[in-house]
Amino acid sequence: MDSIKRLFDFPYYQQKTYPLTHSLVTKYDGQWKATSTQEYIDKANAMSRGLMELGVGPNDKVAIISMNNRTEWNICDIGILQLGAQDVPIYPTISEDDYQYVLEHSESKYCFVSCTEVLEKINKIRDKVPTLKGVYSFDQIQGCPNWQEVLDMGMKADTQEEVEKIKAGVKEDDLATIIYTSGTTGRPKGVMLTHKNIVSNALNSSERVPVEFGKSKALSFLPVCHIYERMLLYMYQFTGVSIHFAESLETISDNLKEVKPDVMTAVPRLLEKVYDKIYAKGADLTGIKKKLFFWAVELGLKYEPYGQNGWWYEKQLGLANKLIFSKWREALGGELKVIASGSAALQPRLARVFTAAQIPIMEGYGLTETSPVVSVNDQRNKGFRIGTVGKAIADTEVKIASDGEILIKGPQVMVGYYKDPEKTAEVLKDGYFHTGDIGELDADGFLKITDRKKEMFKTSGGKYVSPQLIENAMKQSRFIEQIMVVGEGEKMPAALIQPNFEFIHDWNERKNKNLSDDPAELVKSEVLIKRIQKEVDHFNERFGKWEQVKKFELTPDIWSIEDGHLTPTMKMKRRAIKQKYQHLYDRIYER
């Protein structure tokens, strides 16, 4: 382990410790194609030599923009880092304007793109980025040089000795990457992470993942341009886990059955969708099968870890696992030991029901600025507590400030924001990183996130409201897909709600409500508004009078990244949503 100081040390460590025939596996034209550890290293070295031929050297920036996770990404990554250069991963679906900003701000010299869709965006702004010398694509695209040309240049070049010299000069405290965070407001900020930041996080996080080193398989589909999935790819390389890249979000269920992974990562939105699909299938059953299904679900929703519910519950759960939950496991490949969930709050009911079904969901917490993991649950050694994000990983100090803000100190904390000393000084002070999140630590060291500091607001009556707590509760309703609680400076809290159109369509058919299938008509339906009011009333009971959602309006659109409702990590852009539905907001407050 001491031999791993820089990110490009991971594949070499794997080759020495667990050489794999299937180190990186991607599907091309319906066929899974494996790259061995040795081949991975050889290609990464060819990439380094090719880039050197193109004039890339220490501290140059190279952008990578890919629509999906794939072997090429990792080869480019290691090839770039071995030259002491930095890569700049860019989220593919941001606007052309943001592409231009990130490429200009980072002064990227070259750019690797996955496909036509990304290339078209790049071509529109290419002339406005003076530093950009060339663009290469992973897919074969007419009129665009292929990434293979850079590899071929490297194959011909006899300069490995020079690459080794540069590699030896790269230190753990050197900058490895700049990751631009998609802020919920304003321009993206470039988070500067060193080799040590990410290496320490991968090594310390590996202690929390119950996989068999050298023998397990992972399915990777969360965007690798985010530090969460990327750090995990290094961690998988360290633990000898064979990485399979899912084709897309649409094919995830097929890929799970084909790959049968032991481990995967997810965001709560995906887990909610999986659960809703399973639930809908159960609702379509009849007779005794239906009764058994809902008995098992009800049982799962009461789950407490470590046998806290007593022997009779455990006995029933054993039966439920045999009769019902075994089918859930099969649908997810049948081998999953753990799903690591991050990026947003996980509803406790999902953690309960999936873990009861022997598909443990372990929720963690982190930020791009902390490379990212700060804390994570672990079923072993009583390290799992539902409703928390687990205990801090090794070498990490979590402190709660007097106003409830979570402060972090540890080797994973970024060095700052690129070319932005002012914003850096705002968050790095007194030796701690100030997260902007509000939370609490219990006596056993489990961390609980309660809100975003910036998102809490006061009503005109001077009462504080934590929107996230209310939203997370109400999103448990199957009628509600997205909800944003509003009311800053107003006399009462209210909400903008995006209904779950898919579920409502099924409900409409099941209950013969004769509602329109046109979302614009549907959101005006008194029948639906009344039914959602019932859901809101039910969840309101959990909150103080001043926090309860007194009114709501339904939106006819599906909130998406493309339409500017959500950031690439699926967080709500509150200001943008409010602006978009200003007319509904005004109606709520009778303006």
Side-chain angles (χ1 to χ4, degrees), residues 269-525:
R269 283 299 307 119
L270 178 83
L271 297 168
E272 283 160 24
K273 282 195 177 345
V274 170
Y275 179 69
D276 287 349
K277 274 211 170 110
I278 292 172
Y279 198 94
K281 275 189 179 161
D284 287 343
L285 296 170
T286 51
I288 187 76
K289 278 187 173 168
K290 186 172 186 165
K291 276 200 171 79
L292 274 172
F293 177 86
F294 283 105
W295 162 77
V297 168
E298 282 308 310
L299 202 61
L301 291 170
K302 294 187 184 99
Y303 174 83
E304 291 292 346
Y306 313 118
Q308 289 169 56
N309 290 339
W311 71 272
W312 176 240
Y313 175 88
E314 293 295 325
K315 206 176 163 104
Q316 287 181 290
L317 188 60
L319 189 61
N321 261 299
K322 226 184 200 145
L323 298 174
I324 305 294
F325 293 146
S326 53
K327 295 182 182 72
W328 294 24
R329 292 194 294 277
E330 271 166 43
L332 297 175
E335 298 294 331
L336 274 173
K337 313 284 182 293
V338 67
I339 297 177
S341 173
S343 129
L346 176 73
Q347 294 167 14
R349 69 187 178 118
L350 293 178
R352 285 184 206 286
V353 77
F354 278 107
T355 308
Q358 295 174 8
I359 308 159
I361 298 182
M362 295 294 125
E363 188 178 6
Y365 166 68
L367 304 97
T368 305
E369 289 88 341
T370 56
S371 308
V373 178
V374 168
S375 66
V376 65
N377 275 288
D378 181 354
Q379 245 187 328
R380 300 163 300 176
N381 312 318
K382 297 249 184 291
F384 174 41
R385 197 163 288 177
I386 291 168
T388 76
V389 289
K391 295 181 180 186
I393 58 170
D395 302 332
T396 302
E397 188 196 335
V398 175
K399 189 166 106 170
I400 308 293
S402 55
D403 63 354
E405 187 176 5
I406 300 165
L407 312 182
I408 311 295
K409 187 187 268 186
Q412 71 269 57
V413 173
M414 67 163 185
V415 287
Y417 297 118
Y418 191 52
K419 298 180 180 172
D420 201 338
E422 276 170 34
K423 283 212 171 82
T424 301
E426 276 171 32
V427 295
L428 292 179
K429 47 193 178 201
D430 323 318
Y432 288 87
F433 170 66
H434 292 240
T435 62
D437 290 317
I438 301 286
E440 48 203 43
L441 275 171
D442 71 12
D444 299 320
F446 285 91
L447 177 62
K448 193 173 186 179
I449 313 294
T450 53
D451 220 311
R452 282 289 296 164
K453 195 172 168 180
K454 290 180 187 137
E455 285 166 8
M456 289 170 75
F457 63 77
K458 258 186 193 177
T459 56
S460 56
K463 293 280 194 186
Y464 273 108
V465 176
S466 291
Q468 257 191 15
L469 288 178
I470 303 163
E471 290 156 1
N472 289 339
M474 299 217 175
K475 267 178 24 186
Q476 292 183 53
S477 162
R478 303 192 53 226
F479 286 86
I480 297 172
E481 175 89 3
Q482 294 278 12
I483 171 166
M484 184 174 102
V485 173
V486 295
E488 182 166 5
E490 306 286 359
K491 57 181 184 281
M492 67 194 181
L496 297 167
I497 293 174
Q498 184 229 304
N500 182 339
F501 294 115
E502 207 176 308
F503 172 73
I504 290 162
H505 171 78
D506 295 344
W507 172 77
N508 184 20
E509 286 190 349
R510 245 190 356 259
K511 304 276 185 181
N512 297 319
K513 297 284 184 187
N514 298 320
L515 299 179
S516 165
D517 255 352
D518 174 11
E521 288 305 308
L522 190 61
V523 296
K524 295 177 197 158
S525 154

Side-chain angles (χ1 to χ4, degrees), residues 111-279:
C111 181
F112 288 88
V113 301
S114 57
C115 54
T116 317
E117 201 178 325
V118 179
L119 182 66
E120 281 171 1
K121 275 189 178 176
I122 284 284
N123 283 342
K124 283 182 186 157
I125 53 103
R126 201 172 160 172
D127 297 344
K128 299 174 189 162
V129 185
T131 54
L132 198 59
K133 291 181 174 179
V135 178
Y136 294 89
S137 68
F138 296 149
D139 289 353
Q140 293 285 348
I141 305 173
Q142 212 174 349
C144 178
N146 192 263
W147 83 301
Q148 188 64 46
E149 292 182 25
V150 185
L151 282 177
D152 291 345
M153 271 188 250
M155 297 289 187
K156 292 188 196 103
D158 184 18
T159 48
Q160 190 57 31
E161 217 172 289
E162 210 173 317
V163 171
E164 294 299 330
K165 222 182 267 170
I166 297 172
K167 261 170 68 181
V170 178
K171 303 285 178 274
E172 62 178 347
D173 290 319
D174 288 351
L175 187 60
T177 189
I178 303 173
I179 297 177
Y180 283 81
T181 65
S182 48
T184 45
T185 54
R187 280 288 190 198
K189 297 192 292 274
V191 175
M192 295 191 284
L193 297 176
T194 64
H195 287 270
K196 185 181 185 169
N197 286 155
I198 307 170
V199 167
S200 68
N201 207 247
L203 299 181
N204 289 333
S205 298
S206 71
E207 294 168 12
R208 298 282 170 95
V209 183
V211 293
E212 211 176 331
F213 286 21
K215 292 193 176 152
S216 298
K217 280 189 281 195
L219 186 68
S220 163
F221 72 94
L222 290 186
V224 70
C225 51
H226 295 318
I227 189 58
Y228 182 36
E229 191 72 12
R230 181 168 169 192
M231 181 280 290
L232 285 159
L233 294 184
Y234 298 126
M235 188 193 83
Y236 295 148
Q237 290 172 52
F238 168 64
T239 52
V241 169
S242 171
I243 301 166
H244 292 65
F245 297 110
E247 297 163 85
S248 70
L249 210 48
E250 287 66 51
T251 61
I252 193 95
S253 53
D254 293 338
N255 295 162
L256 277 162
K257 289 182 194 119
E258 292 165 332
V259 173
K260 299 184 180 4
D262 301 275
V263 59
M264 67 182 265
T265 44
V267 289
R269 283 299 307 119
L270 178 83
L271 297 168
E272 283 160 24
K273 282 195 177 345
V274 170
Y275 179 69
D276 287 349
K277 274 211 170 110
I278 292 172
Y279 198 94

